[in-house]
Amino acid sequence: MTPEQPPTAEYRIEDLAHLSGATVRTIRAYQDRGLLPRPERRGRANVYGDAHLARLRQIADLLDRGYTLASIKELLEAWDAGRDLGGVLGLVAEINGPWTDEKPTRITRDDLDAAFGGPNEQAVTEAVELGVLVRVPGRDDEFLVPSPQELAVASELHAAGVPLLAISGHLRELRGQVEHIASRFLDFTAEHVFRSFLNHPPTEAETAEATALVRRLRPLAQQTIDAELARAMRTLATRYIHHHLAEALSSGTAGASGPSGPSGLQEPAGPVPEPELRPGAAVAPGPAAAPRPATDSEAVLLPVAAVQAVRDLVGPENTAAFIAAAAQREAHARAMDALAAAARGTRPTAEDAPGH
């Protein structure tokens, strides 16, 4: 004689809401989205069972872990299809895990104002909208900082003279470009690495393999961006300084009109001694059109802003040497362009000039 099975519990929707901690409205919303099975209909009443209660507790647990309702639906469908939910949860947890070693911190409003030169409500509002700062519930004088490095960069830029709203505007533009790069990286890896896992429901072995791949590939995106940004900054910064120094030198020679000419040039107080050329030595530039050995010196008019820019870049002790080297490099490059053009039987054009 077989033992009798205990009766299955039955609940009205109000009872189910009380036991699960969800609201009646939430339960109905889950049903509409396919997250919760429909109740059994008995006459004019809807009857729920222990399976509904267990499913509601599963959903609450996954929401607490940070999953979205869309991802929860996919996980529950995998569970209903008979696949082990543990492997699927492990893969999703790996993808949703942190993509940086940086740890969030907190900052008080007083420390924030001190770091940025005083209170600025508009800048704080912008930072909150961008997620650079997150308001702490119940604490008007404290913020969560998801990325302390990002806030530190903003502080350094502001200390260098960049307005706060210009920094937030630049971050908005930069964020859009970085999200495009991230999207391209995901498309690339999906096509060449994860395609075999995406065209069918993965087995447990495939889920474990995909999880390991995500763990291996996670740092590659950051490493690639770091390397390419360093390369681009090195290349573009050299071109940028070269271009502006060439303009400064040419305008200084062509626009000289005395101690306070119309072009904003400043006459040096006197000739600058030109010591022997050696690493780190300060060398005064000679005429760019006719480089000669460093045996004497000649005063050259340069825009004050250009000189100050070079001084900020390489330091006062190396300013003259840097300008001299840039001028000689420009002169040599133009001479090489002229020789190449002569060999071709043509005259150099504006496009042949360095920097074009």
Side-chain angles (χ1 to χ4, degrees):
M1 184 174 181
T2 58
E4 292 186 4
Q5 296 294 328
T8 303
E10 296 181 350
Y11 312 103
R12 296 177 304 166
I13 192 170
E14 292 80 8
D15 299 329
L16 185 65
H18 175 72
L19 291 170
S20 66
T23 65
V24 170
R25 182 177 179 181
T26 298
I27 293 174
R28 288 176 174 151
Y30 287 167
Q31 291 174 182
D32 293 340
R33 298 189 65 160
L35 291 165
L36 191 68
R38 293 286 179 180
E40 182 181 345
R41 187 77 174 176
R42 292 188 186 170
R44 300 179 62 183
N46 289 325
V47 178
Y48 297 85
D50 286 334
H52 294 91
L53 180 58
R55 177 57 56 90
L56 285 172
R57 288 171 174 169
Q58 276 183 325
I59 294 172
D61 179 61
L62 291 171
L63 286 172
D64 288 341
R65 296 190 190 189
Y67 295 102
T68 65
L69 288 177
S71 61
I72 290 173
K73 183 178 180 181
E74 294 177 358
L75 293 172
L76 295 176
E77 287 174 351
W79 175 271
D80 292 338
R83 296 193 298 275
D84 180 14
L85 194 58
V88 179
L89 285 175
L91 174 58
V92 176
E94 189 66 39
I95 294 173
N96 287 342
W99 287 74
T100 175
D101 295 333
E102 196 173 11
K103 303 297 182 184
T105 60
R106 294 197 177 198
I107 188 171
T108 65
R109 182 59 189 265
D110 289 341
D111 289 341
L112 186 68
D113 292 344
F116 290 92
N120 188 322
E121 292 300 329
Q122 187 176 0
V124 169
T125 300
E126 288 271 332
V128 171
E129 289 179 358
L130 287 166
V132 177
L133 298 175
V134 178
R135 298 188 186 277
V136 178
R139 296 292 301 270
D140 294 335
D141 61 339
E142 192 173 18
F143 296 92
L144 179 69
V145 185
S147 172
Q149 292 180 3
E150 193 168 51
L151 188 65
V153 169
S155 177
E156 289 293 333
L157 289 173
H158 181 64
V162 183
L164 287 176
L165 295 183
I167 295 173
S168 60
H170 177 70
L171 179 57
R172 287 182 189 277
E173 179 182 358
L174 180 65
R175 182 167 293 178
Q177 296 169 346
V178 171
E179 286 176 356
H180 173 73
I181 294 172
S183 176
R184 291 291 300 117
F185 186 82
L186 291 173
D187 290 342
F188 172 79
T189 53
E191 178 181 358
H192 297 285
V193 179
F194 294 103
R195 173 180 288 179
S196 60
F197 304 103
L198 300 176
N199 57 10
H200 66 279
T203 65
E204 285 304 303
E206 289 174 331
T207 301
E209 184 180 353
T211 303
L213 280 172
V214 171
R215 192 176 297 114
R216 285 169 49 198
L217 295 178
R218 184 192 301 276
L220 296 187
Q222 183 71 46
Q223 292 170 8
T224 302
I225 295 302
D226 286 347
E228 283 302 304
L229 180 61
R231 180 200 60 78
M233 288 298 295
R234 181 174 62 252
T235 302
L236 296 179
T238 300
R239 292 178 184 173
Y240 187 86
I241 293 297
H242 181 82
H243 171 72
H244 284 278
L245 278 178
E247 285 188 347
L249 291 170
S250 61
S251 63
T253 303
S257 58
S260 57
S263 59
L265 304 180
Q266 180 175 344
E267 176 72 50
V272 180
E274 187 171 11
E276 178 186 356
L277 183 59
R278 62 184 185 277
V283 182
R292 60 182 182 272
T295 56
D296 56 2
S297 63
E298 179 178 336
V300 177
L301 299 177
L302 294 176
V304 175
V307 175
Q308 184 61 47
V310 177
R311 185 178 293 117
D312 293 340
L313 181 68
V314 300
E317 68 280 4
N318 296 318
T319 298
F322 189 95
I323 294 175
Q328 290 170 355
R329 178 178 175 180
E330 178 73 15
H332 294 162
R334 290 179 181 272
M336 292 177 66
D337 289 339
L339 290 173
R344 297 194 305 266
T346 61
R347 296 180 60 84
T349 63
E351 286 74 14
D352 293 324
H356 289 274

